[in-house]
């Protein structure tokens, strides 16, 4: 087994190509289709012949059997047929794995193999995972969906289930279930965020907006508790008919919550943030005590919550923490590919994730921008423009995997500008309350932020200075990327030049997109977004030019 093609066949659909144990590319299909959180992966598949002529294995990562779901969206037959049509040699002795019962295990192995740990405690928390069935009197019963799972993982592909919580059960009647399973009729913490996001008028996968709003909230006695008897409040977050599709916030019994008033909504978000991060942190503590393992990996959609992540980091300073940057379902294609590789090849090689620039390779030339007005430039020139309060879009190299911009598909600004948040929120057409991230040269990180190492922007940590108002949220925190030269030479040099001019080794950094759209992928995407927005400069370091308006 040398080549593995792995596909996430759900929301955040992605394609991962693994060759000889190394990631050749990983890309979320939304970057190509321009459909946010795209369920399909057909656009990405068409790029396969550029990278590989023979495929040993096709792996499909889902959460339910293909026959239970719309075949246009998830059928392994449709995906495999498209791959085989691209190149007839693809189907010569190609093995096909349709893996729908191990969604959380795929999340867990993605984080474990990327962490650099030899053995670790892996905790997965998301809206819902695979359908969980057990054998009882010779028959399979659907007990519901996994939403919180804890494993101990080690090389090459060994795993032990420690605990698993199951929601949306077909019934709560006592059966002969595994003692490691907790069956509940409550939604998960991540699903509660999704429901609140939908309640506020956004997409259910826009839960990050709820996190941003929460910092404007305060204690409000009119809002019911998030937890009752150790589970998410079943009366507040209702499940009907044991169906993941029939869940909602109970406004009938809690009419106070049926409002567009910003402060009430912020108070609701605040309560959800505060109580869930405390519960999740306490759960992690219990699992560490139970197993005695202090190397801890966290993954699943909940752990894109950088506020909760920093709370865990500060509350548990004695553990070695790795939080997977590909924690959404985009990461399970990578997790499944690596699971199969390490298992089939009995490979115990540790490949710690050093960067996540996993997108396609592009070879652009000046001919590709012949219709644009460009001028030659270097990092010093761009740094001067930033110091002159220009908004600069940076487009270079391979795109970042996951939702964070880390200097290859970024919009940059001066973090010292007191109106910076409002200026760039208008440019990106985002809600006014949403905060922005910053990138700091790692050797200066601890001077400006309460953190030393955060290469993938997974923590919202305290800001130690008053000099960065554009990226300092109302609660005094900032989502931070620490940057070393080896991780991104061009971006590092640009910040260094900005530091020479301003004595500030930090840049305001946000994703290169307009709200509601995926991050740009191609050069034409970048130029199109640049022209449709109020961004002042498009910087193309691969061509050593900038395009100015």
């Amino acid at each position: 087994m040398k080549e593995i093609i792995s596909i996430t066949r759900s929301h955040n659909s992605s394609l991962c190509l693994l060759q000889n144990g190394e990631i050749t590319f990983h890309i979320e299909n939304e970057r190509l289709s321009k459909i946010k959180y795209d369920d399909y992966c057909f656009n990405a598949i068409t790029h396969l012949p550029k990278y590989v002529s023979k495929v040993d294995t096709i792996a499909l990562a889902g959460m339910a059997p293909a026959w239970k779901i719309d075949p246009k969206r998830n059928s392994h037959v449709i995906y495999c047929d498209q791959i085989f049509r691209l190149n007839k040699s693809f189907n010569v002795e190609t093995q096909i794995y349709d893996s729908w019962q191990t969604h959380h295990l795929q999340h867990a192995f993605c984080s474990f193999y990327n962490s650099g740990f030899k053995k670790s405690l892996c905790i997965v928390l998301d809206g819902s995972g695979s359908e969980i069935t057990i054998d009882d009197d010779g028959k399979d019963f659907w007990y519901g969906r996994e939403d919180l799972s804890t494993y101990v993982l080690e090389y090459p592909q060994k795993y032990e289930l420690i605990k698993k919580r199951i929601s949306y059960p077909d019934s709560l009647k006592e059966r002969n279930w595994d003692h490691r399973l907790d069956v509940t009729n409550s939604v998960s913490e991540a699903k509660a965020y999704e429901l609140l996001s939908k309640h506020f008028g956004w997409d259910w996968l826009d839960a990050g907006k709820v996190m941003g709003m929460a910092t404007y909230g305060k204690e409000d006695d009119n809002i019911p508790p998030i937890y009752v008897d150790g589970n998410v409040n079943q009366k507040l977050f209702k499940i009907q008919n044991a169906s993941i599709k029939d869940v909602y916030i109970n406004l009938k019994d809690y009419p106070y919550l049926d409002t567009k008033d910003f402060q009430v909504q912020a108070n609701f978000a605040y309560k959800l943030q505060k109580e869930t991060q405390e519960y999740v942190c306490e759960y992690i503590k219990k699992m560490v005590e139970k197993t005695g393992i202090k190397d801890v990996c966290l993954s699943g959609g909940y752990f894109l919550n950088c506020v909760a992540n920093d709370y865990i980091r500060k509350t548990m300073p004695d553990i070695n923490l790795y939080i997977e940057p590909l924690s959404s379902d985009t990461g399970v294609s990578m997790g499944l590919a690596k699971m199969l590789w390490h298992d089939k090849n009995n490979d115990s090689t540790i490949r710690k994730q050093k960067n996540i620039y996993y997108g396609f390779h592009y070879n652009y030339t000046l001919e590709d921008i012949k219709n644009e007005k460009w001028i030659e430039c270097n990092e010093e020139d761009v740094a001067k423009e930033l110091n002159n309060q220009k908004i600069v879009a940076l487009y270079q190299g391979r795109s970042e995997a996951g939702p964070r911009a880390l200097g290859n598909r970024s919009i940059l600004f001066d973090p010292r500008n007191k109106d910076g948040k409002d200026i760039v929120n208008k440019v990106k057409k985002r809600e006014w309350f949403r905060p922005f991230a910053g990138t700091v040269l790692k050797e200066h990180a601890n001077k400006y932020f309460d953190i030393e190492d955060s290469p993938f922007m997974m923590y919202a940590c305290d800001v130690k200075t008053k000099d960065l108002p554009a990226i300092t949220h109302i609660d005094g925190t900032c989502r931070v990327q620490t940057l070393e030269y080896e991780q991104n030479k061009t971006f590092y040099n640009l910040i260094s030049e900005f530091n020479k001019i301003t004595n500030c080794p930090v840049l305001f950094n946000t994703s290169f997109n307009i709200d509601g759209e995926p991050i740009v992928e191609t050069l034409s995407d970048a130029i199109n977004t640049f022209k449709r927005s109020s961004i002042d400069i498009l910087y193309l370091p691969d061509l050593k030019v900038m395009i100015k308006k």
Side-chain angles (χ1 to χ4, degrees), residues 347-459:
D347 184 4
S348 294
T349 304
I350 296 175
R351 300 176 175 89
K352 184 177 180 179
Q353 186 163 253
K354 296 180 180 179
N355 68 64
I356 53 174
Y357 305 112
Y358 292 139
F360 294 138
H361 292 275
Y362 299 104
N363 294 304
Y364 295 116
T365 67
L366 291 175
E367 182 69 16
D368 295 300
I369 57 169
K370 63 182 179 182
N371 296 323
E372 311 302 328
K373 295 181 179 179
W374 54 266
I375 58 174
E376 293 183 357
C377 68
N378 56 29
E379 289 95 346
E380 181 182 359
D381 299 324
V382 178
K384 290 177 180 178
E385 297 286 1
L386 287 163
N387 186 46
N388 290 332
Q389 307 308 296
K390 300 298 184 182
I391 301 173
V392 176
L394 170 59
Y395 178 93
Q396 64 167 334
R398 304 173 67 181
S399 60
E400 303 91 336
R404 316 296 191 208
L406 302 176
N408 279 13
R409 303 289 188 277
S410 290
I411 294 174
L412 309 174
F413 195 55
D414 188 339
R416 302 168 301 161
N417 188 315
K418 64 181 179 61
D419 299 316
K421 180 171 77 75
D422 294 335
I423 291 170
V424 181
N425 264 330
K426 288 179 181 178
V427 169
K428 293 193 65 172
K429 302 178 182 179
R430 305 196 323 170
E431 293 82 2
W432 64 269
F433 59 83
R434 293 174 63 186
F436 286 103
T439 301
V440 59
L441 301 183
K442 184 177 178 180
E443 60 267 30
H444 298 284
N446 195 245
K447 177 182 176 181
Y448 291 86
F449 306 99
D450 183 26
I451 202 162
E452 294 182 358
D453 188 34
S454 177
F456 305 126
M457 240 184 227
M458 297 304 291
Y459 301 100

Side-chain angles (χ1 to χ4, degrees), residues 312-332:
I312 294 165
R313 178 181 73 92
K314 290 178 179 176
T315 306
M316 304 184 68
D318 294 333
I319 67 171
N320 303 311
L321 188 60
Y322 174 80
I323 303 178
E324 176 54 51
L326 278 68
S327 273
S328 76
D329 282 3
T330 190
V332 297

Side-chain angles (χ1 to χ4, degrees), residues 362 364 395-398 409 490 539-545:
Y362 299 104
Y364 295 116
Y395 178 93
Q396 64 167 334
R398 304 173 67 181
R409 303 289 188 277
T490 296
Y539 175 39
L540 307 174
D542 294 336
L543 300 179
K544 300 180 180 179
V545 303

Side-chain angles (χ1 to χ4, degrees), residues 203-220:
D203 189 279
W204 63 283
L205 289 171
D206 281 337
K209 296 182 181 183
V210 179
M211 181 186 69
M213 180 187 278
T215 53
Y216 290 87
K218 58 186 178 182
E219 294 290 349
D220 187 338

